[in-house]
Amino acid sequence: MAELKATPIVALDVPDATSALALVRRLGGECGFYKVGSELFTAAGPSVVRAIRELGHEVFLDLKFHDIPNTVAGAIKSAVSTGASMLTIHASGGAEMIRAAVDAAGPECRVMGVTVLTSFTAEGLGAAWGRVGVSVDDEVTRLAGLCSAAGAHGIVCSGHEASMVRQRYPALSPLVPGIRFADGAAHDQARVMTPGAAVAAGARYLVIGRAVTGDSDPAAAMARVNQEIGRVG
Ligand code: C5P
């Protein structure tokens, strides 16, 4: 049996609970977590998280919290009470906010710090932050350092930064979105990687959205992901 090297997560980027639960029933246990993000959560609320839990699956609540530490801690306590066992914050919220998030999440829920969104290029990032000559690698490393010091479980980065983060902060688990098959479209993602290449680069979790959910046969696309990353059952 091949060694399980990374956990795939399917992003339920759909507008309502009915479509989300249909995908969950179709894909079953072929992934480790189902990701509920802002589109689905804003439409369907915490009940969709509970419904996925009731079907026996883990939920990654990707709401990318970014606020004052006290507010983030409150949001995270609410998230944990829905049954989410992994969630995201923006690492750029700073050390105090990340520590408040980790404390509020407790031992049952993993906190992942978003470093630089995978839709950003270096130019786009520099323009957004009002700086010239910004290096994505440097910013990811700097933000990963904040997450590491504050005790986060992992960070969100592209596959292109995963090995660098893993070398520098071996205890942090990289979660990599922007996953595409070699013959697939990139859509709005700027820094994409195939499932196999992302795992080889050190990804511990892979977030897969449109490459699976946008396929005419999502179960077959999911099987292709699992085959590429050597995941068995
Ligand atoms: O469809 P696609 O595979 O591009 O979906 C990627 C998912 O991962 C989306 O839900 C997106 O919000 C999320 N994500 C991302 N980049 C990050 C963090 C999360 O694309 N840095």
Side-chain angles (χ1 to χ4, degrees):
M1 185 183 279
E3 187 196 348
L4 171 57
K5 294 174 186 153
T7 301
I9 300 172
V10 169
L12 299 172
D13 292 327
V14 291
D16 57 71
T18 306
S19 324
L21 295 175
L23 262 170
V24 172
R25 288 196 181 90
R26 201 157 173 190
L27 297 173
E30 294 302 309
C31 63
F33 290 79
Y34 285 96
K35 182 172 97 73
V36 174
S38 44
E39 178 182 6
L40 179 59
F41 193 81
T42 304
S47 64
V48 74
V49 177
R50 295 195 181 98
I52 297 166
R53 296 284 301 128
E54 277 161 20
L55 289 172
H57 305 293
E58 300 283 323
V59 174
F60 167 38
L61 191 60
D62 182 25
L63 298 179
K64 301 186 179 72
F65 297 119
H66 188 171
D67 209 314
I68 60 171
N70 185 58
T71 300
V72 166
I76 286 181
K77 284 181 190 150
S78 297
V80 171
S81 75
T82 66
S85 51
M86 186 188 288
L87 49 78
T88 44
I89 55 165
H90 270 288
S92 54
E96 205 191 320
M97 192 205 82
I98 303 170
R99 264 194 304 275
V102 171
D103 288 348
E108 305 296 322
C109 184
R110 295 162 230 205
V111 172
M112 313 298 289
V114 175
T115 56
V116 175
L117 293 170
T118 41
S119 54
F120 266 127
T121 58
E123 293 69 36
L125 187 65
W129 289 0
R131 285 161 50 187
V132 287
V134 171
S135 145
V136 171
D137 283 6
D138 289 352
E139 295 306 321
V140 170
T141 306
R142 182 178 65 77
L143 293 165
L146 290 183
C147 291
S148 173
H153 178 77
I155 57 136
V156 185
C157 63
S158 90
H160 300 277
E161 297 106 34
S163 65
M164 177 186 75
V165 169
R166 205 122 189 216
Q167 269 172 18
R168 185 93 183 255
Y169 302 105
L172 277 183
S173 292
L175 180 151
V176 171
I179 300 296
R180 294 293 181 273
F181 293 119
D183 52 5
H187 305 111
D188 57 345
Q189 298 282 24
R191 304 185 338 272
V192 299
M193 211 176 245
T194 64
V199 173
R204 177 66 189 82
Y205 302 96
L206 301 181
V207 171
I208 302 134
R210 287 162 288 184
V212 163
T213 59
D215 196 282
S216 56
D217 187 347
M222 193 64 224
R224 186 176 170 193
V225 170
N226 284 331
Q227 191 196 12
E228 262 202 41
I229 66 174
R231 183 179 199 252
V232 181

